[in-house]
Amino acid sequence: MGQQLGWGRKYLMVRPDHFRIDYVINPYMSTQDQPDPELALRQWSALRLAIIDAGGEVEVLDQRPDSPDMVYAMNLGLAAAPTEEFAGGRAMLSHMRFEPRRKESVTAAGWFTEHGFALDRTGAEGVGPHFESGDAFVFGDSLVVGYGPRTEEEALKHLAAGWNIRVRGLRITHEGMYHLDLPFCPIDSTHALVYPPALDAASQAELFGIVPDPIVLTDEEAFAFSGNSLVVNDTVIMPACSARLHDILTGLGLRIVVLDLSEFHKGGGSARCLTNPLDFDLAAASVVGGEVVLPG
């Protein structure tokens, strides 16, 4: 097993007080299949407690009544841990591709500012390149960013130059894997759950160059949202875990917690989507002037 991840011990979550399906922006959504509010809250609460039990911290943000997807907190913004230059941390707000979700960023901006984060943006009010933080993970010497369905390629340049970091892009081409947090889940410093069919051929090759020890998901595992898991210390919190994955992960010395998050699958997300890491450490990705590495 590699070293434990240097992030993933502090999260922002949004209580699902107004979670519902008002529109369709991914293949999982249907306005005819509404979540049960009481069950959704129980499932969300179980996830919050599982993070705390694993040694993590959770901040909770109230949900806007006019933003039913805001419960998928992973997309509120990319949050970097405090540094010497930014003592309160730094956040790149998401610039949502779909207009119904853009009000979420207004509330997120207030929360990040109140909690000491310096704010950056790739665009606003539909102008400028779109960036959604569910496409971004720190791994190895880079910020790995998926682009295509939601995040635009141009946004990678803003991230790299604005934060003086190395950004490695992966082009997502599968409509069912519209954010990188569905086919890519860092496990430790060398392992990650990956689903290569989510990417184009050049990005698949790049992915295997980024991850020294990939754990390749089957179709069944990927579409059970197994790649949308999260790691807190030595615990992997998952919405589904096959016997095969269980053997692999426990063989790495990890503890597995499987939770029923089925109400949130109706909106196209699961454990990772519901949690926004507030402690990404970008030190290893630091490059003066920034650098973008694209597939091929």
Side-chain angles (χ1 to χ4, degrees), residues 10-288:
K10 187 171 183 178
Y11 292 92
L12 177 62
M13 295 181 67
V14 177
R15 263 179 70 96
D17 294 325
H18 307 286
F19 174 48
R20 57 190 182 273
I21 311 298
D22 283 359
Y23 44 77
V24 174
I25 58 174
N26 67 57
Y28 305 97
M29 301 175 83
S30 169
T31 57
Q32 305 304 308
D33 188 18
Q34 292 293 330
D36 178 298
E38 293 183 3
L39 180 55
L41 180 56
R42 288 200 299 271
Q43 292 179 353
W44 180 92
S45 298
L47 174 59
R48 175 178 171 272
L49 288 175
I51 293 170
I52 294 170
D53 287 346
E57 299 177 46
V58 179
E59 298 274 356
V60 178
L61 174 61
D62 291 336
Q63 185 175 14
R64 293 177 62 117
D66 60 0
S67 298
D69 267 351
M70 188 175 166
V71 68
Y72 299 114
M74 182 68 179
N75 284 295
L76 293 176
L78 173 68
T83 62
E84 200 171 298
E85 183 178 3
F86 296 96
R90 197 171 186 182
M92 182 71 72
L93 287 178
S94 288
H95 180 213
M96 306 291 195
R97 183 179 288 269
F98 291 101
E99 189 278 333
R101 295 204 64 179
R102 290 179 191 154
K103 293 185 287 292
E104 300 173 30
S105 296
V106 176
T107 300
W111 189 91
F112 281 123
T113 299
E114 289 169 10
H115 288 77
F117 288 83
L119 292 184
D120 293 294
R121 295 174 172 84
T122 61
E125 300 299 326
V127 178
H130 295 291
F131 165 69
E132 299 190 8
S133 51
D135 279 322
F137 287 96
V138 173
F139 191 79
D141 67 352
S142 309
L143 180 70
V144 182
V145 179
Y147 64 98
R150 299 293 182 87
T151 295
E152 294 180 287
E153 182 181 330
E154 189 69 20
L156 277 60
K157 298 177 184 177
H158 285 248
L159 286 163
W163 282 15
N164 289 298
I165 57 174
R166 181 182 298 103
V167 175
R168 295 190 186 276
L170 298 172
R171 183 183 292 279
I172 301 170
T173 53
H174 195 301
E175 66 172 359
M177 298 277 143
Y178 51 92
H179 278 139
L180 191 64
D181 63 15
L182 292 166
F184 179 69
C185 176
I187 296 295
D188 59 28
S189 61
T190 67
H191 294 85
L193 302 178
V194 299
Y195 183 62
L199 311 172
D200 68 12
S203 297
Q204 290 184 34
E206 184 74 15
L207 175 66
F208 287 117
I210 292 171
V211 182
D213 299 305
I215 302 169
V216 178
L217 299 173
T218 64
D219 292 348
E220 183 177 2
E221 291 163 348
F223 288 97
F225 290 91
S226 293
N228 200 247
S229 299
L230 65 147
V231 179
V232 183
N233 294 309
D234 66 348
T235 300
V236 189
I237 302 172
M238 310 181 73
C241 183
S242 66
R244 185 187 76 93
L245 284 179
H246 183 277
D247 289 346
I248 293 171
L249 295 172
T250 55
L252 294 174
L254 296 165
R255 183 172 75 99
I256 298 171
V257 175
V258 178
L259 299 177
D260 178 10
L261 296 168
S262 54
E263 292 307 289
F264 298 101
H265 297 176
K266 296 175 181 179
S270 197
R272 173 63 70 186
C273 290
L274 296 168
T275 54
N276 190 316
L278 296 173
D279 57 354
F280 274 133
D281 183 355
L282 288 162
S286 179
V287 174
V288 175

